[in-house]
């Protein structure tokens, strides 16, 4: 084997110099801190430069964290969050559709509750109490006079005779019914119990008293002592109690119509007026305005 000397003018293609970090003289090395040089020595086992491979995929048993939803469905894509599926949703068949949202799911029902705050009544209840006491006491006293003869009253016999002289038919039954109705109605007004019915009872009685006194004198008589001034005041007061209710200072104070009467009180008023007028028409029949 003969060795030929290498021609210095021709390049040697089989020789390549090794690369060196000093080939780039302008490269600057960044200084490192003590924390970077001493990581892992404290026993914590944490490596600040540890990277998670890009091929990492979360398991379907891992709990993802969604920014705008408390519960999410899983997907094959690690950064994809599916909307929350309702209870009526069905399972999907695709690899990326684990849950299918029901498009016809009803809207959530929002329930609201209205709280009624009672209005301030001031002295209204006290005024209604005084009105009930006065009107009820007057009817109670007059009823006891007709029923038992107390306080120089006529009693049942005298009241029946008075009704017969006035022209009432069936005066015996009407005397008992009128005396009992006037007494019971007055007592119930004082107690504030069954106030609309009590007011209707005394109103029918006072209507007959108004017609009786008006028929006793020819023409329209209003001023006392022969007129109907007194009976008019009692009738209007009974009507006011029916329409306004007994107030809170009464046995009916906890009922709704006691402080805020509505259509039922108006019906009681109509029944009281109808009863008084029918008693006069069918049992007496006289014209109270005859001259």
């Amino acid at each position: 084997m003969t060795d030929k000397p290498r021609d210095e003018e021709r390049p040697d293609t089989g020789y390549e110099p090794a690369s060196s970090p000093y080939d780039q003289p302008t490269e600057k090395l960044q200084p490192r801190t003590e924390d970077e040089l001493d990581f892992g020595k404290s026993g914590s086992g944490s490596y600040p430069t540890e990277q998670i491979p890009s091929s990492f995929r979360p398991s379907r048993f891992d709990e993802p964290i969604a920014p705008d939803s408390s519960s999410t469905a899983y997907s094959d894509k690690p950064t994809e969050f599916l909307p929350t599926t309702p209870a009526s949703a069905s399972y999907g068949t695709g690899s990326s559709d684990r849950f299918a949202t029901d498009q016809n799911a009803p809207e959530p029902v929002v329930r609201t509750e209205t709280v009624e705050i009672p209005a301030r009544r001031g002295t209204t209840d006290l005024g209604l109490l005084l009105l009930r006491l006065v009107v009820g006491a007057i009817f109670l006293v007059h009823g006891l006079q007709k029923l038992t003869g107390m306080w120089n009253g006529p009693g049942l016999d005298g009241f029946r005779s008075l009704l017969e002289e006035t022209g009432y038919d069936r005066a015996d039954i009407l005397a008992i019914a009128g005396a009992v109705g006037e007494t019971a109605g007055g007592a119930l007004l004082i107690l504030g119990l069954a106030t609309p019915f009590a007011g209707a009872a005394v109103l029918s009685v006072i209507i007959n008293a108004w017609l009786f006194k008006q028929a006793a004198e020819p023409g329209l008589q209003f001023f006392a002592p022969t007129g109907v001034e007194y009976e008019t005041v009692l009738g209007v007061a009974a009507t006011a109690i029916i329409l306004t209710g007994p107030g809170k200072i009464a046995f009916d104070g906890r009922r709704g119509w006691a402080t805020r009467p509505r259509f039922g009180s108006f019906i009681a008023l109509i029944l009281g007026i109808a009863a008084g007028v029918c008693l006069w028409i069918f049992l007496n029949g006289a014209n109270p305005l005859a001259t």
Side-chain angles (χ1 to χ4, degrees), residues 92-177:
T93 57
S95 60
S96 62
D97 296 330
R98 297 182 181 272
F99 297 95
T101 305
D102 189 1
Q103 299 297 333
N104 298 324
E107 294 293 334
V109 179
V110 180
R111 297 182 179 180
T112 58
E113 182 179 358
T114 302
V115 179
E116 184 175 351
I117 301 176
R120 297 180 180 179
R121 295 175 58 84
T123 59
T124 302
D125 298 318
L126 181 60
L128 290 174
L129 174 63
L130 294 177
L131 181 62
R132 286 188 0 251
L133 291 178
V134 172
V135 176
I138 291 175
F139 280 100
L140 177 62
V141 169
H142 284 283
L144 290 176
Q145 283 182 321
K146 298 178 180 68
L147 188 63
T148 62
M150 297 175 61
W151 300 295
N152 298 324
L156 281 177
D157 294 336
F159 186 41
R160 182 178 64 251
S161 300
L162 180 63
L163 293 176
E164 290 176 352
E165 293 175 1
T166 309
Y168 278 96
D169 298 332
R170 299 187 179 276
D172 51 350
I173 299 177
L174 186 59
I176 297 175

Side-chain angles (χ1 to χ4, degrees), residues 10-253:
R10 296 179 60 186
D12 189 358
T13 57
Y15 172 77
E16 292 182 0
S19 60
S20 173
Y22 300 100
D23 291 341
Q24 298 178 356
T26 57
E27 181 180 7
K28 296 182 180 181
L29 299 179
Q30 297 294 334
R32 298 189 178 185
T33 61
E34 295 180 359
D35 295 334
E36 295 177 347
L37 297 176
D38 296 337
F39 70 91
K41 295 183 179 181
S42 59
S44 60
S46 61
Y47 295 89
T49 59
E50 181 180 0
Q51 300 293 332
I52 299 177
S54 59
S55 60
F56 173 78
R57 294 291 185 273
S59 172
R60 65 182 299 240
F61 300 102
D62 293 338
E63 182 178 358
I65 301 176
D68 297 328
S69 176
S70 58
S71 61
T72 57
Y74 289 94
S75 172
D76 290 339
K77 299 180 180 181
T79 58
E80 180 181 6
F81 291 93
L82 298 180
T84 305
T85 56
S88 60
S90 59
Y91 288 98
T93 57
S95 60
S96 62
D97 296 330
R98 297 182 181 272
F99 297 95
T101 305
D102 189 1
Q103 299 297 333
N104 298 324
E107 294 293 334
V109 179
V110 180
R111 297 182 179 180
T112 58
E113 182 179 358
T114 302
V115 179
E116 184 175 351
I117 301 176
R120 297 180 180 179
R121 295 175 58 84
T123 59
T124 302
D125 298 318
L126 181 60
L128 290 174
L129 174 63
L130 294 177
L131 181 62
R132 286 188 0 251
L133 291 178
V134 172
V135 176
I138 291 175
F139 280 100
L140 177 62
V141 169
H142 284 283
L144 290 176
Q145 283 182 321
K146 298 178 180 68
L147 188 63
T148 62
M150 297 175 61
W151 300 295
N152 298 324
L156 281 177
D157 294 336
F159 186 41
R160 182 178 64 251
S161 300
L162 180 63
L163 293 176
E164 290 176 352
E165 293 175 1
T166 309
Y168 278 96
D169 298 332
R170 299 187 179 276
D172 51 350
I173 299 177
L174 186 59
I176 297 175
V180 172
E182 198 170 0
T183 303
L188 290 176
L189 284 180
I190 295 175
L191 298 175
L193 182 62
T195 311
F197 302 102
V202 298
L203 180 60
S204 63
V205 172
I206 204 64
I207 287 176
N208 278 265
W210 192 95
L211 295 172
F212 167 75
K213 197 169 185 178
Q214 183 64 42
E217 297 290 337
L220 181 61
Q221 302 293 328
F222 180 75
F223 298 102
T226 58
V228 293
E229 185 178 7
Y230 172 70
E231 287 77 10
T232 302
V233 172
L234 288 180
V236 173
T239 302
I241 293 175
I242 295 174
L243 294 178
T244 58
K248 291 185 177 181
I249 310 176
F251 281 91
D252 291 336

